[in-house]
Amino acid sequence: MLAQKRIQVDGKIALDTQQLIGPFNQVVLDHKLLQQCCAQYWMMNKPVGVVSATKDKIHKTVIELLNPDCATDLHIVGRLDLNSSGLILLTNDGSWSSALTKPANKVPKRYRVDLAEELSADYITAFANGMYFGYENITTLPATLTIIGDRRAEVELFEGKYHQIKRMFGRFRNPVLALHRTSIGELQLCPALQPGQYRALSASEVASLTFTDQ
Ligand code: URA
């Protein structure tokens, strides 16, 4: 069929038996569409009280907030806790999302954190040194904490352990009152998005979060 020039990939006649076809290539045989699936990339401002999951018996999920026409086969890139808010990414491109969450790619995630008690310089050192969590037997990677108010900090992490930020402030017996993710890598949460709103990423935003080492 290749030799007879009957196959087109993304609008071009395919001749090479070694050509790799991915899930998002358009494939046509004798003018009949065999495969067409567009990669989708969305950012959402996750509201508090909505769960980062595809299904949940009790709470509304981020997938349920999407228009059903664009929700097909989307998965969530990394998670935010039920009572956290802010930037969350959704896609149907598994290799993009796995590269983005791969620790070796060191993608920074930034959070604004409101606390019950006042902060001090000790927090900066403790976050930078890493904290040992016996339950998982891990020490957290160096994290940057910037004090931006008496009870407000910005935290930058390169990983996402279970309830990591809350547990790190827990070491100081300082409860987290609000946790909001403001950026992932270069990508900032669009300020026009109200909680629960979402928009497609531009091609340059997708490219800014694309890693060659997938
Ligand atoms: N750390 C937390 O404790 N919760 C989140 O949702 C994200 C990071």
Side-chain angles (χ1 to χ4, degrees):
M1 285 188 284
L2 288 167
Q4 291 166 345
K5 302 187 178 174
R6 291 168 60 196
I7 299 184
Q8 289 194 11
V9 176
D10 298 335
K12 288 199 193 107
I13 292 171
L15 298 167
D16 183 358
T17 54
Q18 303 299 310
Q19 180 172 357
L20 295 176
I21 305 295
F24 305 120
N25 290 116
Q26 186 206 60
V27 184
V28 171
L29 167 65
D30 294 337
H31 307 288
K32 187 173 157 232
L33 187 61
L34 296 188
Q35 168 175 300
Q36 169 137 284
C37 176
C38 290
Q40 295 195 50
Y41 308 91
W42 300 92
M43 72 155 81
M44 179 188 279
N45 183 357
K46 177 190 143 353
V48 168
V50 170
V51 73
S52 300
T54 37
K55 281 188 198 141
D56 192 84
K57 289 206 176 104
I58 301 167
H59 298 100
K60 206 170 199 150
T61 70
V62 290
I63 298 288
E64 286 163 358
L65 293 178
L66 297 164
N67 178 328
D69 292 343
C70 52
T72 43
D73 293 335
L74 292 185
H75 61 267
I76 301 155
V77 187
R79 274 152 209 281
L80 281 174
D81 293 342
L82 179 67
N83 51 6
S84 300
S85 59
L87 178 59
I88 200 145
L89 299 174
L90 300 124
T91 185
N92 58 354
D93 184 347
S95 45
W96 185 76
S97 57
S98 58
L100 202 50
T101 46
K102 204 168 161 184
N105 283 325
K106 295 201 173 88
V107 181
K109 284 167 279 184
R110 257 165 248 107
Y111 301 83
R112 193 183 62 227
V113 193
D114 288 310
L115 297 140
E117 308 294 338
E118 283 191 14
L119 293 156
S120 69
D122 294 347
Y123 286 70
I124 301 172
T125 318
F127 275 62
N129 288 344
M131 288 181 194
Y132 177 71
F133 289 131
Y135 184 70
E136 300 103 319
N137 188 26
I138 49 132
T139 301
T140 58
L141 293 173
T144 308
L145 182 142
T146 310
I147 298 176
I148 54 175
D150 288 350
R151 295 182 172 79
R152 180 172 274 191
E154 185 186 80
V155 174
E156 183 183 72
L157 296 183
F158 290 91
E159 59 188 340
K161 304 291 181 211
Y162 180 68
H163 294 329
Q164 183 166 343
I165 292 182
K166 289 175 193 148
R167 290 162 76 198
M168 291 179 87
F169 284 105
R171 283 287 158 88
F172 291 88
R173 301 197 193 292
N174 194 348
V176 169
L177 302 181
L179 180 51
H180 183 77
R181 185 153 63 198
T182 53
S183 66
I184 299 176
E186 309 262 286
L187 184 70
Q188 308 266 352
L189 175 63
C190 171
L193 292 180
Q194 298 302 309
Q197 291 187 325
Y198 54 93
R199 71 152 170 84
L201 297 188
S202 68
S204 64
E205 287 172 334
V206 174
S208 77
L209 294 176
T210 299
F211 296 90
T212 42
D213 173 21
Q214 306 233 320

